[in-house]
Structure formats: structure tokens, C-alpha cells
Amino acid sequence: MHEISLCEGILQILEEQGREHGFTRVRAIWLEIGTLAAVEIEALRFGFEVVCRDTLAAGAALHIEEVPGQARCLACAGEFSLSHRHAPCPRCGGYRLEVTGGDEMRIKELEVE
Amino acid sequence: MCTVCGCGEGETRLEGEGKGHDHEHAHSHGEGAHHRHDTHHYGRGPAHAHAPGVSQTRMVRIEQDILARNDAYARANRSRLARAGILALNLVSSPGSGKTTLLTRTLRDLQGEMPLAVIEGDQETVNDAEQIRATGVQALQINTGKGCHLDAHMVGHALDELRPKAQSILFIENVGNLVCPAAFDLGEAQKVLILSVTEGEDKPLKYPHMFHAADLLLLNKIDLLPHLDFDVARCEEYARRINPEIPILPLSARTGEGMESWYRWLRLARESRLLGRTPLAGETA
């Protein structure tokens, strides 16, 4: 459900950028979504299509780059990639981790006219 | 469109507010359905495509967080609350965790001691706000309609309406949902997660995002433990896998057991917010 809110957020940014950069149509959009960001990619795609109907981004191609989770172990200082928030450190088995990447939700680039 | 901030959410209703906010929002919805039948719509789809070789497309690099707008509203709420010395707590849980019962008991027990206020978020009904107001504490209901969480923008408008007193504790009861509210900063000082022992001890592993975002875990309904297989130690272990430093307070809002620790936590959090701050003009201690 909150994927719809995210899509509304994306559309607001597109409309603002359209005013700022003087474009009236978005052809394609590149997003970066972390695998730990709790975003369901399929729901986001569906929501994007629905939210953008009859807007400057109607029919725009949505390219999504998934960014893998990264963490640092606070016990052994090991750095590794993390598939779930509750996964232990692969080196020492500890759970005291600091997530260092993979929770981003960003718009990177647009193709506009 | 809202004249204050240009907002366009059509589903949200602020209790008692018909003026100047809701009315113009309706237009942003329903248009899609209307236009779908309109095959003569200009500027849509392939009909608008350019001839090969004369494309005017260009690339724009923007590098913006999708939630940037919410986060900007949240920052504005946070600094406004900090200036007034208000401790805002975002209460999150699944539906049925006993959040409203916990809150009404807290309000009854603490309202003689310090100013309190409540923002209630639910999809529908003003039942919870009415229940809160029955305690004598000021409360405002936000109905999110189809929305599954409160956002910083709704809370900003609720603050305008509610005007909580300086130095108060403001409880923001979020929509019962352990998923979406984790992503939306409201400008609160801290997130308090309420988990009841009737829910299963592996909730922290199932909803790690929320447990990761929380600053305090209240384990509610412990009076029911004798009737359940719930393993408190295991639940705590799971919660700390996700959030190693999280303080956990077991309590029962029904019997009152453990509530004193929660109140101590509230007093300390409020105290640390007030210590060393510059009072607003005209504010009394």
C-alpha cells in the first residue's frame, strides 16, 4: 500500500522538476531502490502506472536498479552484504550490525522532452 | 490544491475541518477514470510521438530522495516542536495491540503532572479521538481514508489545528500497521513500538523495518502470559537482533503492571528535551 504513496512522491518530484527544467513529458525514469527499503518492486511498478495516468509521466518507462544491503558488524568490524535485516554477521555470527547501505529510495535520472 | 503548502492528497480528512483544506482536493482523484473513456484526449501516448531523427528528448540527472518532500515537512515539524519544548512520540503497532487502551490509561495517570495532547490516526471513524477526549486531554483525529500511514504533512496541519501547549508530551497514534509507518518520518522525537504478547514472539523478525526504526518497545498485555505460549525472552532476543540497543518494557495497560517504568521513561525523555532550552516568549515554566 505505501508503494502508492511513494509513487505520488515520485510524481510530485517530476512535476517540480518539470517546472524547474522546463519539460512537459517524461519518457523514462531511473530509480535506485535498496533491497532493505521494504519496497515491493512489483507493487511500485503497478502503482507508478496508475498514479501517472494523465500526467506528464503517463506511460513513462520505469527502470529500477536494486541496491544490495550492506552492513558493518559492530563486534568484529567485518563488512559484508546483507540480504535481510535479521541476518547475522557471516564472520562472527553477531547480530549487532550497522546497516550502511541498501535502504535508499532515490530518483537518479530522467529522460524528458 | 491546499493554499498553505500546495498539497494534493484527496483522501485525508482532518477532524472538524471542512474549511480551506479538504474541498479543493477532490479534483485530483477520479480524473483518471473519467479520462480513460476519453479516446480523443490530446498529448497522450503514441499519437504524441515525434518523427524519427527529430526527437527532442534529453536526460536530466536529479538524484533526489523519493521521500524528500515528506522529510522536509518532518524537519519543519521537528524544529517547531523542539522550539516549543514539546516531546512528540510516534506510537506504532499492529491493529489490536492495545495502543488506545495504553494511551488512555497513560493520559489519566499523567495529566495532572504535565500538559498532554494526542493526534489520532485511523483510516476511518473518530471513535479513538472521542475515547481520548473523554479523559479530558485535547485530541484531534486524522482519517487517512485509503492511506495506510500518517505522513509529516498531515501532522503539520494537525499541529496547526490542535496547537499543543509548550512543554507538553504529544502522542501521535499512527495507523495500526507494522509496515508503512516505518518509512514516514513525522518529525517526532522518538518512535515507540507497542507489541502485545497475543501476537507471537517472532513479530520482530517478520517486520524488521519497524523494529529497526523504533526507539522503545513496550510489550503489552503481559497479564495474559499465563494463558499463552509466548516466550518473552525469545521475543526480546529477536527484537535485539534487529535493534541491538532497544529498551524493552513489559507491561499491562489493563492491570497497570509495569506502567510505572513507562512513566519514568516519559518523564526522563521530556526532562531531557526541556533541560537547557530557551523558553518561548510568554511561556511559563
Side-chain angles (χ1 to χ4, degrees), chain B residues 50-246:
Chain B
H50 295 279
V54 291
S55 166
Q56 300 162 357
T57 63
R58 59 191 161 104
M59 302 300 287
V60 179
R61 202 159 179 83
I62 62 171
E63 299 275 354
Q64 254 202 53
D65 277 351
I66 294 174
L67 292 177
R69 206 179 166 99
N70 183 71
D71 292 346
Y73 284 125
R75 275 196 301 279
N77 291 348
R78 184 166 284 119
S79 71
R80 166 181 182 177
L81 291 161
R83 275 196 306 277
I86 296 169
L87 174 71
L89 300 174
N90 183 357
L91 306 186
V92 292
S93 79
S94 36
S97 64
K99 209 162 23 148
T100 310
T101 307
L102 177 92
L103 190 52
T104 47
R105 181 163 191 143
T106 304
L107 300 174
R108 285 209 168 87
D109 290 347
L110 295 186
Q111 63 179 325
E113 199 178 316
M114 57 186 86
L116 304 170
V118 176
I119 295 173
E120 271 293 330
D122 279 300
Q123 283 200 312
E124 297 294 343
T125 85
V126 293
N127 296 352
D128 280 3
E130 281 166 3
Q131 205 177 323
I132 298 294
R133 278 193 292 258
T135 66
V137 170
Q138 56 166 171
L140 184 81
Q141 182 82 47
I142 303 176
N143 285 133
T144 57
K146 292 199 185 83
C148 50
H149 57 268
L150 294 177
D151 65 36
H153 170 246
M154 299 174 193
V155 169
H157 279 296
L159 289 173
D160 292 341
E161 198 80 1
L162 187 66
R163 300 178 172 277
K165 291 194 185 74
Q167 306 189 11
S168 58
I169 298 182
L170 171 67
F171 297 96
I172 306 171
E173 189 177 335
N174 216 316
V175 178
N177 176 347
L178 281 181
V179 184
C180 311
F184 290 83
D185 184 3
L186 305 181
E188 73 273 9
Q190 279 158 312
K191 279 190 183 65
V192 178
L193 199 163
I194 297 123
L195 176 70
S196 68
V197 298
T198 51
E199 292 179 61
E201 62 232 357
D202 56 352
K203 274 269 164 90
L205 301 185
K206 287 179 171 167
Y207 299 96
H209 212 69
M210 187 62 93
F211 282 83
H212 183 78
D215 299 287
L216 171 69
L217 174 59
L218 300 180
L219 198 55
N220 193 17
K221 305 192 188 179
I222 55 166
D223 54 307
L224 297 177
L225 281 173
H227 312 288
L228 303 166
D229 292 328
F230 190 93
D231 185 335
V232 172
R234 182 171 295 162
C235 178
E236 293 184 354
E237 193 237 317
Y238 288 156
R240 290 196 170 116
R241 279 191 197 178
I242 309 295
N243 190 339
E245 313 297 338
I246 193 168

Side-chain angles (χ1 to χ4, degrees), chain A residues 2 5 12-13 16-17 21-22 36 54 85-86 95-96 105-113, chain B residues 35-36 50 57-67 69 149 180 209 212 241-242 245:
Chain A
H2 87 286
S5 306
Q12 280 175 346
I13 292 172
E16 277 166 21
Q17 292 288 323
H21 294 280
L36 303 179
D54 301 312
R85 282 197 189 266
H86 58 271
Y95 285 103
R96 294 166 56 87
M105 295 187 268
R106 291 173 72 76
I107 304 178
K108 299 290 289 180
E109 211 170 5
L110 310 173
E111 184 188 346
V112 301
E113 62 179 51
Chain B
H35 284 180
R36 251 176 287 155
H50 295 279
T57 63
R58 59 191 161 104
M59 302 300 287
V60 179
R61 202 159 179 83
I62 62 171
E63 299 275 354
Q64 254 202 53
D65 277 351
I66 294 174
L67 292 177
R69 206 179 166 99
H149 57 268
C180 311
H209 212 69
H212 183 78
R241 279 191 197 178
I242 309 295
E245 313 297 338

